[in-house]
Amino acid sequence: MADLPGYICPRDGRSSAVAELAWRCPDCGSPWDLAFTAAGVDHETLPARVLSLWRYAEALPLADPMISFGEGRTPLVPITGRVSVKLDFLMPTLSFKDRGAVMLLEAARRAEPERVIADSSGNAGTAVAAYAARAGLPCAIFVPAATSAKKVEQVRAHGAEVMIIDGDREATARAAKQAADRPGTFYASHVYNPYFLHGTKTYAYEIWEDLGRRLPEVIVVPAGNGTLVLGVALAVAELVDHGLIDRTPPIVAVQAEAVSPLARAHAEGLAEVSPGYATSAETITEGIAIAEPARSAQILAAIHNSGGDIVTVTDSEVRAAQRDLAGRGFYVEATAAACWAAVRHAEAEPDDRLGWALLRERELVVPLCGAGLKTGLA
């Protein structure tokens, strides 16, 4: 499959073809990176291109998709003098995860597996289920027992089998990994598979285009498994490498206070989150409640190298932010309100730590990642 870039291990350099269906490096267990180098986007021709994320063809590892729903190109809407929101909840399955899922399932379609599986707290699962249906691939989605009933309903509506796991997000991931080792199985993991990250990076490409070929002073994103953090970091590096921007904006990641292993590791100067370092706790921000993110070393490095920081917000702050957004006309789920909660906290509290100062003083774009219809108000 010459048109399907293969995997490469960032730790030991081992490579693997996508069709081999190895979901991680068999030597060290690391998540894969992609053996792909993006070309510079020809911004002069962008106005005439397709109105989807596929308009950034030079930067994408796949061309000529057969399963696209027209995802991407979501609106960027100012809400204060220095803050805009990007409406990624207006995607086909109502979350930003469509950006990665379309890339991931297009790769799966070309690899021709017998089945696709994924694990998710909801949004990634619904996206994978929808795109698997479009690709004509049998699909099973593993979800924690506490997953929103509306998200489970959506997964089933797309024809996927739902495997409900009696446990937290980590228990669900362990169950899916066991199933992923079955022959003929493509593990459509938004964490382990790098095709997903090359889809989420289009979030930053769209902001760059909409702001007149520049990025905001600070990029703020929610962080659980870190797929949006790493997608943004990929895009920024590519834009800098090709001379399309001249600076790297700091990334401020937002975690739930109840489940914040990345924030703790960053504050302590650690290079990664070790197994057992953090414990799970209940939070309304189910989409970022990840106690042991598999790509923690890459996430922490991306934030550190950008000159950014990690901040945390409480459930009560997220509830207030979700209702504030609804009062402004944006009906989003709790996880999608986490970054707005952080901005509100920064403006209300006299805290001069780096992350809070960046959120209080600089131009920002806040991602609204998932629709409120999936969960209702927290």
Side-chain angles (χ1 to χ4, degrees):
M1 299 180 190
D3 63 339
L4 197 56
Y7 305 135
I8 187 166
C9 177
R11 291 183 179 174
D12 59 29
R14 175 163 179 159
S15 62
S16 178
V18 176
E20 293 176 6
L21 303 182
W23 58 270
R24 62 180 174 181
C25 176
D27 293 334
C28 70
S30 171
W32 295 114
D33 281 350
L34 202 61
F36 168 75
T37 301
V41 172
D42 181 3
H43 56 80
E44 298 295 340
T45 64
L46 282 176
R49 296 189 183 187
V50 62
L51 291 177
S52 74
L53 61 82
W54 297 94
R55 68 197 279 107
Y56 310 110
E58 301 95 327
L60 300 179
L62 297 174
D64 303 318
M66 294 183 63
I67 64 169
S68 173
F69 289 115
E71 53 288 317
R73 293 306 292 140
T74 56
L76 187 65
V77 181
I79 60 171
T80 74
R82 66 182 185 88
V83 180
S84 297
V85 291
K86 186 156 177 60
L87 310 189
D88 262 24
F89 67 92
L90 298 182
M91 290 283 193
T93 74
L94 306 182
S95 90
F96 88 99
K97 295 292 177 61
D98 289 2
R99 293 186 183 277
V102 65
M103 202 72 58
L104 186 51
L105 271 297
E106 181 64 26
R109 184 189 68 80
R110 299 182 192 192
E112 300 181 337
E114 295 176 18
R115 71 192 67 81
V116 168
I117 70 165
D119 57 283
S120 168
S121 61
N123 284 337
T126 58
V128 168
Y131 286 95
R134 186 140 171 87
L137 292 170
C139 180
I141 305 296
F142 291 68
V143 301
T147 299
S148 161
K150 293 181 180 180
K151 292 180 180 179
V152 172
E153 179 184 352
Q154 187 181 2
V155 171
R156 287 192 173 121
H158 292 312
E161 181 181 8
V162 177
M163 309 296 292
I164 297 177
I165 305 302
D166 186 15
D168 60 13
R169 186 65 182 82
E170 278 62 46
T172 304
R174 287 193 294 271
K177 289 172 186 176
Q178 290 178 353
D181 289 328
R182 290 175 56 196
T185 301
F186 184 97
Y187 184 24
S189 171
H190 60 294
V191 180
Y192 278 86
N193 195 297
Y195 274 95
F196 196 92
L197 304 181
H198 283 267
T200 61
K201 75 181 181 184
T202 59
Y203 170 84
Y205 272 94
E206 291 180 16
I207 294 173
W208 165 78
E209 183 181 357
D210 287 343
L211 292 180
R213 299 198 294 274
R214 67 178 183 86
L215 290 175
E217 293 177 314
V218 175
I219 296 176
V220 54
V221 287
N225 276 310
T227 55
L228 192 51
V229 173
L230 294 175
V232 164
L234 268 174
V236 170
E238 292 169 2
L239 289 167
V240 170
D241 286 347
H242 295 292
L244 297 172
I245 56 175
D246 58 8
R247 65 177 184 86
T248 298
I251 298 172
V252 176
V254 180
Q255 291 212 283
E257 185 176 277
V259 188
S260 52
L262 293 166
R264 179 180 167 190
H266 179 72
E268 295 179 6
L270 301 179
E272 63 182 331
V273 175
S274 300
Y277 178 74
T279 57
S280 297
E282 291 186 4
T283 173
I284 59 173
T285 57
E286 62 182 9
I288 53 174
I290 308 299
E292 297 180 5
R295 292 186 183 267
S296 67
Q298 291 177 312
I299 299 164
L300 292 167
I303 293 167
H304 173 78
N305 293 339
S306 77
D309 201 1
I310 307 177
V311 301
T312 65
V313 290
T314 66
D315 278 6
S316 62
E317 289 176 319
V318 172
R319 286 190 186 92
Q322 187 187 26
R323 283 165 171 75
D324 181 73
L325 286 167
R328 297 170 184 261
F330 306 106
Y331 189 50
V332 299
E333 64 178 335
T335 302
C339 289
W340 182 236
V343 174
R344 283 161 52 91
H345 177 110
E347 293 176 342
E349 301 292 336
D351 193 327
D352 291 328
R353 285 176 292 178
L354 177 61
W356 299 119
L358 291 170
L359 294 180
R360 183 169 58 250
E361 299 168 358
R362 307 288 183 86
E363 175 201 26
L364 308 168
V365 172
V366 171
L368 301 184
C369 297
L373 295 174
K374 288 173 173 278
T375 60
L377 290 174

